[in-house]
């Protein structure tokens, strides 16, 4: 949901077909494996709530981290 929500908020297409055409990677059933280990997704915490990506941050989260005052100081 985080991935779809980010792209939907960013681009605001009202039509699903147009949205899917603009974001074909979101239809890849292996998309989450870029960000999560299989054991993390199968774990009890992921089944009931939010789990942070453990392989790589979502691209916008990495950008947000770099833009913090702490990140700019380093």
């Amino acid at each position: 949901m985080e991935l779809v929500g980010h792209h939907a908020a960013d681009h605001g297409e009202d039509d699903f077909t147009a949205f899917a055409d603009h974001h074909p990677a979101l239809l890849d059933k292996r998309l989450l494996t870029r960000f999560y280990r299989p054991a993390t997704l199968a774990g009890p915490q992921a089944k009931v709530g939010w789990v942070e990506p453990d392989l790589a941050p979502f691209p916008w989260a990495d950008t947000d981290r770099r833009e913090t005052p702490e990140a700019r100081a380093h």
Side-chain angles (χ1 to χ4, degrees), residues 7-27:
H7 291 293
D10 213 26
H11 301 286
E13 285 104 350
D14 290 333
D15 176 60
F16 177 77
T17 302
F19 179 79
D21 287 344
H22 287 116
H23 309 287
L26 294 175
L27 302 176

Side-chain angles (χ1 to χ4, degrees), residues 1-72:
M1 289 304 297
E2 182 81 15
L3 291 164
V4 173
H6 169 76
H7 291 293
D10 213 26
H11 301 286
E13 285 104 350
D14 290 333
D15 176 60
F16 177 77
T17 302
F19 179 79
D21 287 344
H22 287 116
H23 309 287
L26 294 175
L27 302 176
D28 181 357
K29 66 181 179 180
R30 296 167 300 183
L31 177 61
L32 290 180
T33 64
R34 297 178 192 173
F35 306 100
Y36 294 94
R37 289 180 174 86
T40 302
L41 291 174
Q45 187 177 356
K47 291 179 181 181
V48 297
W50 172 251
V51 177
E52 288 291 328
D54 59 350
L55 286 177
F58 293 129
W60 59 89
D62 191 43
T63 301
D64 292 345
R65 252 185 263 131
R66 284 190 301 235
E67 294 175 358
T68 65
E70 296 83 12
R72 284 190 295 256

